[in-house]
Structure formats: C-alpha cells, structure tokens
Amino acid sequence: MYILQESLFSFEELQKLEFKDRLPIFFSALDLRPYAKELRSHSPRGAEGHCRQGILRALLAAPLENMDTFSGLHRRLDMDLRFRYQCGLRLDRKAPSIATLSRVFTELTNKGLAKRLFEDLVTRCKQEGIIDGSHVAMDSAAIHAYEKKQPKRKSELTGNANWGAKFDSFGNKVKWFGYKLHLAVDTASELPLALSVTPAHVNDGDLAPALMEQVAADAKVKFFVFDAGYDQLKNYEAARKLKAQAIIPMNLRNEKEPPAGITSNGTPCCSMGFAMTYWGVDGDHLKFRCPHATGKVDCPLGMAACSSSNYGMVLKVDTKSDLRRYSSPHRNTKRWQELYKERTSVERCNSRMKTYLTADAMHVWGIEKVITHQYLNAIVLLASALAMAQKYRKVAA
C-alpha cells in the first residue's frame, strides 16, 4: 500500500510558521557561500557592492514569500528591516536596487548556479534519507510567459515561448502561450529530482528519455510512472535501458486492434477466447494460467481440451517481445494500479510550484532565465524539506 511519508508535509509545515521564525529555519539548511563566491565582482574599481550571499538569500526568499518581481523584492527589502536582516544584508545601507537584483539573477543564469545548487540539494536529501528515488513520477505543467505573444511560426524561430495546447481533466482543450515545466518527482517525498523547461509546443514524451537518464544517473530507479500522454515505445525502451519499468496507461485513442489472441492490456486468451489469469513473474516472463483452472470462468470444455495437467494450461510471455504492451507487474493488476496511483505525487509537486510559489508568475523572459526561475522555486521545496527535517531532529534530541 502506498503511504504518504511525514516529509511530504515539510513545505506546508514551514508555511504555517510565523514569518519571524520561518526564514531563519529555511536558511539554516542552506550553505550558500560557495555559490555566492562565484557571484562576487572581481573588479577593483567602484564602490563596495552588496553581499552576494545576502542577495542570493533574498532571491530564494522571494518565491517562498510569494514575491514574483524584482521591484516587489526590492520594496520588501527596503521597507521590512527584519526581512533584510534575515537575508543577511546590512541595515546601514540602502537595500539592493532593482537593477542589482536583476543583475545577480542574470549571473545565476549565465553561470548555471541555480541548477548546481538544486542538484546539490537533491544529493543532500538522498543522503539524509528524505528522498528515496526508487519510484519516480513525471509530468509537465503549463507555464505562462512574460514575453509578448507572437504567431507560432515566429515563436519557433526564437526557441523561447510558444503556443501550447493540452486537454484538462474534464477533456477540455486548453491553450496557452509560454513554456512547459517538465518535472521528475520522487513519489515517496513528492520532492523534485530533476526538471526541464521547453517551449509549450514540445511534446511531453519527447523529453522523458533524457529526464529519465538524468534521474537514473544518481539513483537506482525501479519504476517510472507517467500518464497516458507518454504512451510511446521510446519511453518504455528508455526505462528498460535503465533497468527500470515504465508504468504508463495505454492511450486507447490512438490504439489499433490488439494482435490476435490477446486483449488490449496484453493478457493472452486461451483457445476458447477467454482471457487467461495472470499468475506472477518469472524473470522477464509473465506467467498466465487457464482461467477455468483458476476459477475465473466456467469453460464448457474444462481443462482437458487444453492440457492434461490438473494445474491447467500455462503460458509464459516474454515482456521484451513488446515493451509497450507487456509490463512487469502485469498491466492493470492491483500492484500495477498501486504504482500508477503514485503519479499524483508529481501533480501535487506541480501544484505547490504554481500555487504556493511563483513558478507560473514569471517576470523574466527568455528560456534560460525561465529555467533559473523554475530552479529557484524547486530549490525552495528541497530546502524546506531539509530545514524541517533538521528542526524535527533537534526537537527529538
């Protein structure tokens, strides 16, 4: 049975804390000195700049405090001395200007520091047992662009925001101009393991193999869980290459008639046309038994017509013969359904990123800066989990 772990609630628990306590606990999990060092100006000229570690803290505090613009962050730093002090910025100087905040954000983007910090936090979460990483769910979310809307043909030339469309849970077609945030999430903790950002028109399934490889590089993944939009042979093959199993419902809208002698979910039929009974796994083979022998049907011919054994006819199917149709565990069994239910973890992670943070409230344009913006939001979730885990350990001690 899939059980939600305590670490799932770390972000919500952090949000419930009073403001004066929330930021110190949040920052306690972050050592930003190595990253801030790379943001320092090496020019001997000009006035002394603001503390880069303090600005980096402010940029991370912004999504946590639901601030989505540099002007809003500057205003908060200027008016709220407690906030400025908790970010590690001096009180005897003016708050960093909008231009300074924007410039440091650009440096983060150009040097790829947000991605490095994110990956380091993922590693820490694994080391501290917060992230398991053996079951991974993937999905994409629509992200609206800050850029001016353009015709699709012109947008494709820029490599930035574009028009996208997808069906919502009610079957309605939704269109937007912007990007897609592709997330790979640990299903046990609901924390992000990897992310990618593409223009909105890019197909979800095209990004999955690369994201799977990125996740599996640092963890032993047993199952990758997707929705039916990822039902493409290349995704099953990518999971198999990584010695994992892809759990994906078959997309029956584009499904042709299954081969003769099997059902649409890959269950072979006996000579009388009855679906055989799934009876477990033997290596790479799925085992099926006579449905009459297992009491699933009352065959008019009994077992004698197919087998002389009291056990009934047994058929083994090699999963490698059709990676898309055959799954281990067998498609639509109780175990398969339990694994597929874990896909909701990525939906909840996407919801936190868009509803409680600022993933879908961007005021930067260009795909490189959008990627940095998404990494900062994902970092907040990881740092929150680490901070609350440290807090619980101190209380327990």
Side-chain angles (χ1 to χ4, degrees):
M1 182 177 179
Y2 181 57
I3 301 174
L4 299 181
Q5 297 182 1
E6 187 175 53
S7 58
L8 293 177
F9 305 101
S10 55
F11 177 70
E12 285 82 353
E13 291 297 319
L14 184 68
Q15 290 285 75
K16 292 176 184 177
L17 297 176
E18 292 186 24
F19 163 70
K20 64 182 181 67
D21 300 321
R22 181 166 60 242
L23 279 181
I25 291 174
F26 175 74
F27 288 136
S28 69
L30 294 169
D31 181 6
L32 300 176
R33 288 172 296 180
Y35 312 96
K37 186 177 180 180
E38 297 191 39
L39 293 172
R40 291 176 184 167
S41 172
H42 297 286
S43 172
R45 300 181 179 180
E48 180 185 359
H50 289 280
C51 170
R52 287 300 189 259
Q53 186 176 346
I55 295 178
L56 185 50
R57 283 187 171 197
L59 290 173
L60 287 170
L64 182 64
E65 298 297 311
N66 210 24
M67 291 177 280
D68 53 21
T69 63
F70 296 129
S71 58
L73 179 56
H74 165 73
R75 192 180 309 113
R76 178 73 175 272
L77 288 168
D78 187 47
M79 303 290 291
D80 190 339
L81 296 183
R82 183 195 293 274
F83 178 72
R84 195 194 309 178
Y85 175 77
Q86 290 178 334
C87 288
L89 292 165
R90 290 169 53 174
L91 301 183
D92 60 346
R93 296 188 57 184
K94 290 184 177 180
S97 66
I98 297 172
T100 298
L101 295 171
S102 177
R103 189 161 54 247
V104 173
F105 183 91
T106 301
E107 278 190 87
L108 279 175
T109 301
N110 294 338
K111 296 181 178 180
L113 293 181
K115 180 181 179 181
R116 279 172 45 192
L117 176 55
F118 170 83
E119 291 173 346
D120 290 345
L121 289 177
V122 169
T123 300
R124 280 187 58 195
C125 285
K126 290 177 180 177
Q127 292 171 344
E128 298 194 21
I130 298 171
I131 286 178
D132 173 52
S134 61
H135 295 193
V136 177
M138 294 188 185
D139 200 3
S140 70
I143 301 296
H144 295 84
Y146 183 58
E147 293 105 303
K148 182 180 179 180
K149 295 178 181 178
Q150 302 180 71
K152 187 173 183 179
R153 183 176 298 178
K154 187 175 181 180
S155 297
E156 289 177 350
L157 298 176
T158 67
N160 293 320
N162 206 331
W163 289 95
K166 65 191 309 184
F167 291 94
D168 62 17
S169 55
F170 301 101
N172 301 312
K173 193 172 185 179
V174 179
K175 294 183 179 180
W176 77 98
F177 181 76
Y179 300 91
K180 276 185 181 178
L181 170 62
H182 305 264
L183 272 183
V185 171
D186 172 48
T187 64
S189 64
E190 297 182 3
L191 291 172
L193 295 167
L195 67 83
S196 180
V197 177
T198 63
H201 71 286
V202 174
N203 183 272
D204 292 354
D206 293 341
L207 264 289
L211 213 53
M212 280 191 271
E213 287 186 15
Q214 187 177 340
V215 171
D218 300 313
K220 175 61 177 176
V221 183
K222 295 180 180 178
F223 297 101
F224 288 103
V225 189
F226 306 87
D227 65 20
Y230 292 82
D231 182 30
Q232 301 173 27
L233 180 59
K234 62 185 175 185
N235 293 327
Y236 296 94
E237 291 174 336
R240 177 77 183 187
K241 183 179 178 181
L242 298 170
K243 298 181 179 180
Q245 174 65 57
I247 303 296
I248 313 174
M250 298 194 79
N251 190 344
L252 298 179
R253 284 185 299 178
N254 300 321
E255 177 69 1
K256 299 178 181 179
E257 285 294 319
I262 65 172
T263 65
S264 60
N265 71 351
T267 302
C269 300
C270 68
S271 58
M272 291 296 291
F274 297 114
M276 298 183 71
T277 305
Y278 174 63
W279 211 252
V281 180
D282 183 7
D284 286 329
H285 291 78
L286 303 178
K287 182 179 177 182
F288 297 90
R289 286 183 62 192
C290 168
H292 181 85
T294 57
K296 297 296 183 181
V297 299
D298 184 13
C299 179
L301 299 181
M303 294 185 294
C306 300
S307 173
S308 59
S309 169
N310 292 332
Y311 193 74
M313 186 181 72
V314 175
L315 182 65
K316 291 186 177 182
V317 177
D318 189 348
T319 56
K320 299 191 297 294
S321 64
D322 190 341
L323 293 178
R324 178 174 174 265
R325 195 171 300 278
Y326 300 122
S327 170
S328 177
H330 185 45
R331 190 180 293 279
N332 295 339
T333 59
K334 182 179 179 182
R335 176 58 176 156
W336 190 96
Q337 295 287 1
E338 287 174 349
L339 289 167
Y340 182 65
K341 287 179 182 178
E342 295 183 22
R343 196 189 67 82
T344 58
S345 60
V346 70
E347 293 179 342
R348 285 190 285 269
C349 187
N350 269 322
S351 177
R352 292 186 185 101
M353 295 268 286
K354 294 177 64 174
T355 305
Y356 299 105
L357 299 176
T358 62
D360 197 24
M362 294 187 302
H363 287 81
V364 294
W365 64 274
I367 193 166
E368 297 300 327
K369 288 187 176 180
V370 171
I371 291 171
T372 296
H373 180 89
Q374 300 306 328
Y375 270 123
L376 293 180
N377 279 268
I379 286 167
V380 169
L381 294 180
L382 294 169
S384 298
L386 284 165
M388 295 307 292
Q390 291 177 1
K391 180 176 181 290
Y392 292 142
R393 280 198 296 268
K394 289 180 181 179
V395 171

